[in-house]
Amino acid sequence: MSMSCKVACIVFACCVLVPTKLLAVQAAHRTEHSLWSQTRALTESELAALVSREATSKEAQTARIRALLTQSDRAINRSVVDATRYLEEAEALITTQEDASVVALAIRCQLAHRQSLPGAAQTCQQLTQNDRSQDAFVQAFAMTTRMYYLYREGSHQESINAAEHALSLAMVVDDPALIASAHNMMGLYFSTRLRPRMSVPHYEIALEQASRVPYAELKTITQLNLASSYNYLGRSREALTMLYESRGSQVVQIYPTRRLVVQSMIGQVRAALGETDGAEENLQRVIDEVGETVLPDGMTYGYTGLGVIQLAENRPLEALDNFDMVLALSGKSLETDLDYSRIQLMAVPYARALRMADRLAEARDLVLRIIASVPGDQPDQQLLDAYLELAVTLEALGDSEGAKAANEEATRVESTLWDASFKYQVERLSVSLESDRRALELARAQEREVALLSLAQRESRLRRQTWIIGAMIIAVIALFFSRRAQKRIADAQRSASLALEDQVRERTREMEDEMALRMTAEVDRIKLTERVMEGEKLRAMGQLTAGVAHDFNNLMTVVTLGANQLKDDLLPVENPDRAETIDNIRQAAETGAKITRGLLAYVREQPLNPEYLNLDEFLRESTALFRNTIGERIVLDVEAAPCSVLVDKAQLTTALLNVLLNAREAMPEGGRITLTLSAFGDQARIQIRDNGVGMAPHVLEQATEPFFTTKQHEEGSGLGLSMVFGFARQSNGDLHIESALGGGTTVTFFLPMAEARTASASDVSTASSNVPRAVRILAVDDRPSVLRVLKRSLSRMVDTVICATNATEALAMIEQQGLPDCVVTDIVMPGEIDGVGLVRTLRQRSPSLPAVLMSGYARDIDDECVYLQKPFSYDQLERAIEEALSREVESVPAHANG
């Protein structure tokens, strides 16, 4: 063989055979982690078929090992025995596969720690040596196992760090099970610290990813965690739906403790929703079924649920017994173990039960200990609940200032929790965007790698062909074809390089456009989240305001009637100071009632007392009041055309004063206000125009929003125009505001016109009582203080007054003493029968029985019942009874919103 032929053979081997082998090795390494992901995406039947298939090659044997390890990992949550069997079978087949051995070690760690086997800690510690595998999936799987191990060991900060690392690795391999596990771990971290607002986003992402995996265990566990956080945040209906969906799953039915936890959570959520019928019986049945198989510490879940249910049913003593059982089973104390997880769940309910059992001092001391146990720089949901409970307890103890301070602190803690949650979401968004950016870079790098590989393969084929041809004819025209081949290769490389650059530029532009769209979508989502958060705050404030107003109205009823009774008892009064003191008490009670109506007007639940009003006469009579209110530096012009409306006179006066005061604030140096009344179609239009500083567009847009104010924090609450707007809408009218900077402000009321009428005989109160002394009256109210003062007031009208604290007790008295001549009852009372139900029951016996219904809420009552809004005076009570006795009842009331 000539020298030229030898050179040609050597060149052929170097340029063709060696590169081909290297490319094959690189391709095998790149596809290894995708094989793990493909195996984990198989269904149970597909995995079983893969395991049972005969391994005729090394690749088939490796696939069988992956299938066995996947089966073992899935079986952990439903059968430790099956998981161990699959693992041992896989370990027997593993020889030199380092990736498979790391996965097997991670599963072994999970099983050892779940069963508390000796050496579990040493087994799990070996997972730190992840340098044995370069595969991203295997590293992510090992890190996911390690994060759960650290969490169960109580190393929460280390567990969250491991979860962050596991998530970054899981995102690279795009494995939904690993992503779900990492987010579930982050949610557990914040749930353990009682910060549900920060745990919910992680659980929701985990649930979304878990829904993509072909087995339901991971989804069920995530649903249970998410349901707990939903219940903490008041999203109880969503929590109950998830719990009912999870209750019948295999992973819950197999483990008695999980069955007990799920049923306990269902009972607590139903208690939060006020749907406790059958909840206690269902939970007690599960406790009896699993009692012998669940450890004492696990039984604490059941007794906690029983206590919460009984607390919702106003059975504090029974609730305390179950809470004490939790303490006994866990071996913990409320004095020293408030940071223990089981005690954290029941500490505030325990204090609430003490308060409801009238053990107020103990309740206050326990709540103060709870507050002291929470680090000041790490507020959580328990701290917020504790401050709210402290406010109610202090109010019951008569410490109004302390209750107010506790409510303010609760508001501050809630705001802090929302702010922390928002900041954390922003941080997570930044991390997500950075992760997306890296993923895009990785995708681009992979695409470039694929393009380069394809180009290298084409070049390799071209080079191989060139050298084969050159080797065949190199002896004849070696130099000629050599130079020509080199030029052809150079042109091909140049063309390939230009084509690759064009592709890279085009892909880069597409990625930049996609990134801009994602940023816009994330900004829109953040804005929507802020609006939802604000809406939840306003709904919570409305519920709190309505509840406080109801209780306050009951207290004002006692004060108002008590003042009337004191004044009547002391007449004739020899000491003018006493008479003046009694009048001051009565006036203070009336002021408190007005404040309550103002609060209810804010949440649009204030009961209005509309009357036919000649607006022109009303404005002329009120002009002096308006001028005294705005001061001497401001000129008030009133122009009124005849108009009649049906409106609450007191609320209209308050609304006009609010607007006039705002106009006065807009003219600190003095000015002119014009108040004009005119007819506008079928509506009366009241315009209040000032020449003050006016409002900027963004201020005008938010002027009627609650809590929005341009004043200093100490000078205004931001509720004035909001209450005015609520009153206008509640009166079937509307409110418009026009303003411009430097151009003054015009506020326009629109109220529906009504035909004026003269006062009828029924509208004029009589000075003397027409209630016969021989009338027997049944008085029913669940508040002892209200019932006592109501009985004394009724005893001044009639000779016989029968008292009861609830409907059941009242019906029992009637069975013994016969039907009364008139019923005076509260609407909202504990028990199966409320005030409306009591009247309905009695009118089945006597359809014409007179009835007066009382309530601290706004109510729509059937016209055949007289409604008395708390608080009321003695004269109002007397007129209500007169009206009830004078009516002829035709049928039983069909409905009342009580």
Side-chain angles (χ1 to χ4, degrees), residues 699-749:
V699 175
L700 178 62
E701 183 179 353
Q702 305 177 69
T704 57
E705 293 183 4
F707 309 113
F708 176 78
T709 179
T710 57
K711 301 175 183 178
Q712 297 296 325
H713 178 70
E714 297 81 4
E715 297 179 3
S717 64
L719 290 177
L721 285 179
S722 174
M723 289 190 286
V724 172
F725 181 75
F727 160 72
R729 286 295 180 89
Q730 197 174 3
S731 300
N732 297 322
D734 204 351
L735 180 76
H736 292 170
I737 303 176
E738 299 177 2
S739 183
L741 282 177
T745 300
T746 301
V747 179
T748 305
F749 282 92

Short mmCIF file of all heavy atoms in Angstrom, two decimals, residues 699-749:
data_model
loop_
_atom_site.label_atom_id
_atom_site.label_comp_id
_atom_site.label_asym_id
_atom_site.label_seq_id
_atom_site.Cartn_x
_atom_site.Cartn_y
_atom_site.Cartn_z
N VAL A 699 -58.15 62.38 42.92
CA VAL A 699 -58.84 62.51 44.21
C VAL A 699 -60.35 62.39 43.99
O VAL A 699 -61.05 61.72 44.77
CB VAL A 699 -58.49 63.85 44.88
CG1 VAL A 699 -59.29 64.04 46.16
CG2 VAL A 699 -56.99 63.92 45.17
N LEU A 700 -60.87 63.04 42.94
CA LEU A 700 -62.30 62.97 42.65
C LEU A 700 -62.73 61.53 42.38
O LEU A 700 -63.82 61.11 42.79
CB LEU A 700 -62.60 63.85 41.43
CG LEU A 700 -64.06 63.86 40.94
CD1 LEU A 700 -64.97 64.40 42.02
CD2 LEU A 700 -64.18 64.69 39.67
N GLU A 701 -61.87 60.76 41.73
CA GLU A 701 -62.22 59.38 41.38
C GLU A 701 -62.40 58.52 42.64
O GLU A 701 -63.20 57.59 42.66
CB GLU A 701 -61.13 58.79 40.49
CG GLU A 701 -61.42 57.37 40.02
CD GLU A 701 -60.32 56.84 39.11
OE1 GLU A 701 -59.42 57.64 38.75
OE2 GLU A 701 -60.38 55.67 38.76
N GLN A 702 -61.66 58.83 43.71
CA GLN A 702 -61.71 58.01 44.93
C GLN A 702 -62.47 58.70 46.06
O GLN A 702 -62.44 58.22 47.20
CB GLN A 702 -60.29 57.71 45.42
CG GLN A 702 -59.40 57.05 44.37
CD GLN A 702 -57.99 56.84 44.88
OE1 GLN A 702 -57.75 56.02 45.77
NE2 GLN A 702 -57.06 57.59 44.36
N ALA A 703 -63.16 59.80 45.80
CA ALA A 703 -63.74 60.62 46.88
C ALA A 703 -64.75 59.85 47.71
O ALA A 703 -64.85 60.06 48.92
CB ALA A 703 -64.39 61.87 46.27
N THR A 704 -65.55 58.97 47.09
CA THR A 704 -66.59 58.25 47.84
C THR A 704 -66.14 56.88 48.31
O THR A 704 -66.93 56.12 48.84
CB THR A 704 -67.84 58.08 46.96
OG1 THR A 704 -67.48 57.39 45.76
CG2 THR A 704 -68.45 59.42 46.62
N GLU A 705 -64.86 56.55 48.14
CA GLU A 705 -64.36 55.27 48.62
C GLU A 705 -64.13 55.33 50.12
O GLU A 705 -63.63 56.32 50.64
CB GLU A 705 -63.05 54.90 47.92
CG GLU A 705 -63.23 54.61 46.44
CD GLU A 705 -61.93 54.17 45.80
OE1 GLU A 705 -60.93 54.03 46.55
OE2 GLU A 705 -61.90 53.97 44.58
N PRO A 706 -64.51 54.25 50.86
CA PRO A 706 -64.29 54.26 52.32
C PRO A 706 -62.81 54.40 52.66
O PRO A 706 -61.94 53.85 51.98
CB PRO A 706 -64.83 52.88 52.74
CG PRO A 706 -65.76 52.49 51.64
CD PRO A 706 -65.19 53.08 50.38
N PHE A 707 -62.54 55.17 53.70
CA PHE A 707 -61.21 55.36 54.29
C PHE A 707 -60.29 56.22 53.42
O PHE A 707 -59.12 56.38 53.75
CB PHE A 707 -60.51 54.02 54.59
CG PHE A 707 -61.34 53.07 55.39
CD1 PHE A 707 -61.80 51.88 54.84
CD2 PHE A 707 -61.69 53.38 56.69
CE1 PHE A 707 -62.58 51.01 55.57
CE2 PHE A 707 -62.46 52.50 57.43
CZ PHE A 707 -62.91 51.34 56.88
N PHE A 708 -60.78 56.75 52.30
CA PHE A 708 -59.94 57.62 51.49
C PHE A 708 -60.09 59.06 51.99
O PHE A 708 -61.20 59.58 52.10
CB PHE A 708 -60.32 57.54 50.02
CG PHE A 708 -59.53 58.50 49.15
CD1 PHE A 708 -58.23 58.19 48.79
CD2 PHE A 708 -60.06 59.72 48.77
CE1 PHE A 708 -57.49 59.06 48.02
CE2 PHE A 708 -59.33 60.59 48.00
CZ PHE A 708 -58.03 60.26 47.63
N THR A 709 -58.99 59.70 52.32
CA THR A 709 -59.02 61.08 52.79
C THR A 709 -57.72 61.77 52.41
O THR A 709 -56.67 61.14 52.31
CB THR A 709 -59.23 61.15 54.32
OG1 THR A 709 -59.22 62.52 54.73
CG2 THR A 709 -58.14 60.40 55.06
N THR A 710 -57.81 63.08 52.18
CA THR A 710 -56.61 63.87 51.89
C THR A 710 -56.13 64.60 53.13
O THR A 710 -55.15 65.34 53.07
CB THR A 710 -56.93 64.91 50.79
OG1 THR A 710 -58.02 65.73 51.21
CG2 THR A 710 -57.30 64.20 49.49
N LYS A 711 -56.82 64.39 54.26
CA LYS A 711 -56.42 65.05 55.50
C LYS A 711 -55.33 64.25 56.18
O LYS A 711 -55.02 63.12 55.82
CB LYS A 711 -57.62 65.19 56.43
CG LYS A 711 -58.78 65.98 55.82
CD LYS A 711 -59.98 65.99 56.75
CE LYS A 711 -61.17 66.71 56.11
NZ LYS A 711 -62.36 66.67 56.98
N GLN A 712 -54.76 64.85 57.25
CA GLN A 712 -53.79 64.14 58.05
C GLN A 712 -54.48 62.96 58.75
O GLN A 712 -55.71 62.95 58.93
CB GLN A 712 -53.15 65.07 59.09
CG GLN A 712 -52.36 66.21 58.48
CD GLN A 712 -51.16 65.72 57.70
OE1 GLN A 712 -50.54 64.73 58.07
NE2 GLN A 712 -50.83 66.39 56.61
N HIS A 713 -53.67 61.98 59.17
CA HIS A 713 -54.24 60.77 59.77
C HIS A 713 -55.09 61.08 61.00
O HIS A 713 -56.11 60.44 61.26
CB HIS A 713 -53.08 59.81 60.17
CG HIS A 713 -53.55 58.56 60.84
ND1 HIS A 713 -54.24 57.57 60.14
CD2 HIS A 713 -53.46 58.15 62.11
CE1 HIS A 713 -54.54 56.61 60.99
NE2 HIS A 713 -54.08 56.93 62.18
N GLU A 714 -54.69 62.08 61.78
CA GLU A 714 -55.41 62.40 63.01
C GLU A 714 -56.65 63.24 62.74
O GLU A 714 -57.50 63.41 63.62
CB GLU A 714 -54.51 63.13 64.02
CG GLU A 714 -53.30 62.32 64.52
CD GLU A 714 -52.15 62.34 63.51
OE1 GLU A 714 -52.29 63.04 62.48
OE2 GLU A 714 -51.14 61.65 63.78
N GLU A 715 -56.77 63.83 61.54
CA GLU A 715 -57.83 64.81 61.28
C GLU A 715 -59.05 64.22 60.58
O GLU A 715 -60.12 64.80 60.63
CB GLU A 715 -57.27 65.95 60.43
CG GLU A 715 -56.16 66.74 61.12
CD GLU A 715 -55.61 67.83 60.22
OE1 GLU A 715 -56.14 67.98 59.11
OE2 GLU A 715 -54.68 68.53 60.64
N GLY A 716 -58.96 63.11 59.94
CA GLY A 716 -60.10 62.58 59.21
C GLY A 716 -60.02 61.08 59.07
O GLY A 716 -58.94 60.50 59.01
N SER A 717 -61.22 60.44 59.03
CA SER A 717 -61.28 58.99 58.92
C SER A 717 -61.53 58.53 57.49
O SER A 717 -61.35 57.36 57.18
CB SER A 717 -62.41 58.44 59.81
OG SER A 717 -63.66 58.92 59.35
N GLY A 718 -62.00 59.44 56.61
CA GLY A 718 -62.30 59.04 55.24
C GLY A 718 -63.64 58.35 55.09
O GLY A 718 -63.89 57.69 54.09
N LEU A 719 -64.54 58.48 56.11
CA LEU A 719 -65.84 57.81 56.03
C LEU A 719 -66.98 58.77 55.69
O LEU A 719 -68.10 58.34 55.48
CB LEU A 719 -66.15 57.13 57.37
CG LEU A 719 -65.30 55.91 57.71
CD1 LEU A 719 -65.66 55.40 59.08
CD2 LEU A 719 -65.49 54.82 56.69
N GLY A 720 -66.74 60.10 55.68
CA GLY A 720 -67.81 61.07 55.51
C GLY A 720 -68.56 60.91 54.21
O GLY A 720 -69.75 60.58 54.19
N LEU A 721 -67.88 61.13 53.07
CA LEU A 721 -68.55 61.02 51.77
C LEU A 721 -68.99 59.60 51.47
O LEU A 721 -69.96 59.39 50.74
CB LEU A 721 -67.62 61.53 50.66
CG LEU A 721 -67.46 63.06 50.58
CD1 LEU A 721 -66.51 63.43 49.47
CD2 LEU A 721 -68.81 63.73 50.36
N SER A 722 -68.28 58.60 52.02
CA SER A 722 -68.71 57.22 51.83
C SER A 722 -70.08 56.98 52.45
O SER A 722 -70.96 56.36 51.85
CB SER A 722 -67.68 56.26 52.44
OG SER A 722 -68.14 54.94 52.38
N MET A 723 -70.31 57.50 53.69
CA MET A 723 -71.60 57.34 54.32
C MET A 723 -72.68 58.15 53.60
O MET A 723 -73.83 57.74 53.48
CB MET A 723 -71.51 57.73 55.79
CG MET A 723 -70.71 56.74 56.64
SD MET A 723 -70.84 57.05 58.40
CE MET A 723 -69.83 58.51 58.55
N VAL A 724 -72.33 59.34 53.10
CA VAL A 724 -73.28 60.15 52.33
C VAL A 724 -73.71 59.39 51.07
O VAL A 724 -74.89 59.33 50.73
CB VAL A 724 -72.65 61.51 51.98
CG1 VAL A 724 -73.54 62.27 51.02
CG2 VAL A 724 -72.40 62.33 53.23
N PHE A 725 -72.75 58.83 50.37
CA PHE A 725 -73.05 58.06 49.17
C PHE A 725 -73.94 56.85 49.49
O PHE A 725 -74.91 56.56 48.79
CB PHE A 725 -71.73 57.59 48.53
CG PHE A 725 -71.92 56.80 47.27
CD1 PHE A 725 -72.26 57.41 46.08
CD2 PHE A 725 -71.75 55.42 47.28
CE1 PHE A 725 -72.43 56.67 44.93
CE2 PHE A 725 -71.92 54.68 46.13
CZ PHE A 725 -72.26 55.32 44.96
N GLY A 726 -73.62 56.14 50.61
CA GLY A 726 -74.44 54.99 51.01
C GLY A 726 -75.85 55.40 51.36
O GLY A 726 -76.81 54.72 51.00
N PHE A 727 -76.03 56.56 52.05
CA PHE A 727 -77.37 57.02 52.39
C PHE A 727 -78.16 57.36 51.12
O PHE A 727 -79.34 57.02 50.99
CB PHE A 727 -77.27 58.25 53.30
CG PHE A 727 -78.52 59.09 53.33
CD1 PHE A 727 -79.66 58.61 53.99
CD2 PHE A 727 -78.58 60.32 52.71
CE1 PHE A 727 -80.82 59.38 54.01
CE2 PHE A 727 -79.72 61.07 52.73
CZ PHE A 727 -80.86 60.60 53.38
N ALA A 728 -77.54 58.04 50.14
CA ALA A 728 -78.24 58.40 48.91
C ALA A 728 -78.71 57.16 48.16
O ALA A 728 -79.86 57.09 47.71
CB ALA A 728 -77.33 59.26 48.03
N ARG A 729 -77.83 56.17 48.02
CA ARG A 729 -78.22 54.96 47.32
C ARG A 729 -79.30 54.19 48.09
O ARG A 729 -80.23 53.63 47.51
CB ARG A 729 -76.99 54.06 47.13
CG ARG A 729 -76.03 54.58 46.06
CD ARG A 729 -76.71 54.55 44.70
NE ARG A 729 -75.83 55.04 43.65
CZ ARG A 729 -74.99 54.26 42.96
NH1 ARG A 729 -74.92 52.97 43.23
NH2 ARG A 729 -74.23 54.77 42.01
N GLN A 730 -79.20 54.15 49.44
CA GLN A 730 -80.17 53.43 50.24
C GLN A 730 -81.54 54.12 50.19
O GLN A 730 -82.57 53.49 50.41
CB GLN A 730 -79.68 53.33 51.70
CG GLN A 730 -80.40 52.27 52.51
CD GLN A 730 -79.78 52.12 53.88
OE1 GLN A 730 -78.86 52.83 54.24
NE2 GLN A 730 -80.31 51.20 54.67
N SER A 731 -81.57 55.41 49.90
CA SER A 731 -82.83 56.17 49.79
C SER A 731 -83.35 56.15 48.35
O SER A 731 -84.17 56.98 47.98
CB SER A 731 -82.60 57.61 50.25
OG SER A 731 -82.16 57.66 51.59
N ASN A 732 -82.85 55.22 47.50
CA ASN A 732 -83.26 55.09 46.10
C ASN A 732 -82.89 56.32 45.28
O ASN A 732 -83.57 56.66 44.30
CB ASN A 732 -84.77 54.82 46.00
CG ASN A 732 -85.16 53.52 46.64
OD1 ASN A 732 -84.44 52.54 46.54
ND2 ASN A 732 -86.27 53.51 47.36
N GLY A 733 -81.86 57.03 45.72
CA GLY A 733 -81.39 58.19 44.99
C GLY A 733 -79.98 58.00 44.48
O GLY A 733 -79.52 56.87 44.29
N ASP A 734 -79.26 59.11 44.29
CA ASP A 734 -77.90 59.01 43.78
C ASP A 734 -77.13 60.25 44.23
O ASP A 734 -77.72 61.23 44.73
CB ASP A 734 -77.91 58.93 42.25
CG ASP A 734 -76.65 58.25 41.72
OD1 ASP A 734 -75.73 58.03 42.54
OD2 ASP A 734 -76.58 57.96 40.53
N LEU A 735 -75.81 60.20 44.06
CA LEU A 735 -74.93 61.29 44.45
C LEU A 735 -73.91 61.50 43.33
O LEU A 735 -73.25 60.55 42.91
CB LEU A 735 -74.22 60.98 45.77
CG LEU A 735 -73.27 62.06 46.30
CD1 LEU A 735 -74.08 63.19 46.90
CD2 LEU A 735 -72.33 61.49 47.34
N HIS A 736 -73.78 62.73 42.84
CA HIS A 736 -72.79 63.07 41.81
C HIS A 736 -71.88 64.17 42.34
O HIS A 736 -72.34 65.08 43.04
CB HIS A 736 -73.47 63.55 40.53
CG HIS A 736 -74.23 62.47 39.82
ND1 HIS A 736 -75.07 62.71 38.75
CD2 HIS A 736 -74.26 61.14 40.02
CE1 HIS A 736 -75.59 61.58 38.34
NE2 HIS A 736 -75.12 60.60 39.10
N ILE A 737 -70.60 64.09 42.01
CA ILE A 737 -69.63 65.09 42.44
C ILE A 737 -68.88 65.58 41.20
O ILE A 737 -68.36 64.77 40.42
CB ILE A 737 -68.64 64.50 43.47
CG1 ILE A 737 -69.38 63.95 44.68
CG2 ILE A 737 -67.65 65.58 43.92
CD1 ILE A 737 -68.48 63.28 45.69
N GLU A 738 -68.83 66.90 41.04
CA GLU A 738 -68.05 67.52 39.97
C GLU A 738 -67.07 68.49 40.60
O GLU A 738 -67.44 69.26 41.49
CB GLU A 738 -68.99 68.27 39.01
CG GLU A 738 -70.01 67.38 38.32
CD GLU A 738 -70.96 68.18 37.44
OE1 GLU A 738 -70.78 69.41 37.37
OE2 GLU A 738 -71.88 67.58 36.86
N SER A 739 -65.81 68.45 40.15
CA SER A 739 -64.81 69.31 40.75
C SER A 739 -63.62 69.45 39.82
O SER A 739 -63.38 68.60 38.95
CB SER A 739 -64.35 68.74 42.11
OG SER A 739 -63.43 69.60 42.74
N ALA A 740 -62.87 70.52 40.01
CA ALA A 740 -61.64 70.76 39.27
C ALA A 740 -60.73 71.61 40.15
O ALA A 740 -61.21 72.43 40.95
CB ALA A 740 -61.92 71.46 37.94
N LEU A 741 -59.44 71.42 40.02
CA LEU A 741 -58.49 72.18 40.83
C LEU A 741 -58.66 73.68 40.56
O LEU A 741 -58.61 74.14 39.41
CB LEU A 741 -57.06 71.75 40.51
CG LEU A 741 -56.60 70.44 41.14
CD1 LEU A 741 -55.19 70.10 40.68
CD2 LEU A 741 -56.64 70.54 42.67
N GLY A 742 -58.90 74.44 41.62
CA GLY A 742 -59.08 75.88 41.52
C GLY A 742 -60.46 76.29 41.05
O GLY A 742 -60.77 77.49 41.00
N GLY A 743 -61.34 75.34 40.71
CA GLY A 743 -62.65 75.68 40.18
C GLY A 743 -63.80 75.32 41.10
O GLY A 743 -64.95 75.35 40.69
N GLY A 744 -63.51 74.97 42.36
CA GLY A 744 -64.57 74.65 43.29
C GLY A 744 -65.13 73.25 43.08
O GLY A 744 -64.67 72.49 42.21
N THR A 745 -66.15 72.92 43.89
CA THR A 745 -66.75 71.58 43.87
C THR A 745 -68.26 71.71 43.92
O THR A 745 -68.80 72.57 44.63
CB THR A 745 -66.27 70.75 45.07
OG1 THR A 745 -64.85 70.64 45.01
CG2 THR A 745 -66.88 69.36 45.06
N THR A 746 -68.96 70.86 43.17
CA THR A 746 -70.42 70.80 43.19
C THR A 746 -70.84 69.38 43.54
O THR A 746 -70.49 68.43 42.82
CB THR A 746 -71.02 71.20 41.84
OG1 THR A 746 -70.60 72.53 41.52
CG2 THR A 746 -72.53 71.14 41.90
N VAL A 747 -71.58 69.23 44.66
CA VAL A 747 -72.11 67.94 45.09
C VAL A 747 -73.62 67.97 44.87
O VAL A 747 -74.31 68.88 45.35
CB VAL A 747 -71.80 67.67 46.56
CG1 VAL A 747 -72.39 66.35 46.99
CG2 VAL A 747 -70.29 67.70 46.80
N THR A 748 -74.15 66.99 44.13
CA THR A 748 -75.57 66.97 43.76
C THR A 748 -76.22 65.71 44.32
O THR A 748 -75.77 64.60 44.04
CB THR A 748 -75.73 67.00 42.23
OG1 THR A 748 -75.04 68.13 41.71
CG2 THR A 748 -77.21 67.09 41.87
N PHE A 749 -77.30 65.92 45.14
CA PHE A 749 -78.15 64.83 45.62
C PHE A 749 -79.34 64.68 44.67
O PHE A 749 -79.95 65.67 44.26
CB PHE A 749 -78.72 65.14 47.01
CG PHE A 749 -77.76 64.94 48.12
CD1 PHE A 749 -76.96 65.97 48.58
CD2 PHE A 749 -77.65 63.70 48.72
CE1 PHE A 749 -76.09 65.79 49.62
CE2 PHE A 749 -76.78 63.51 49.77
CZ PHE A 749 -75.99 64.55 50.22
#
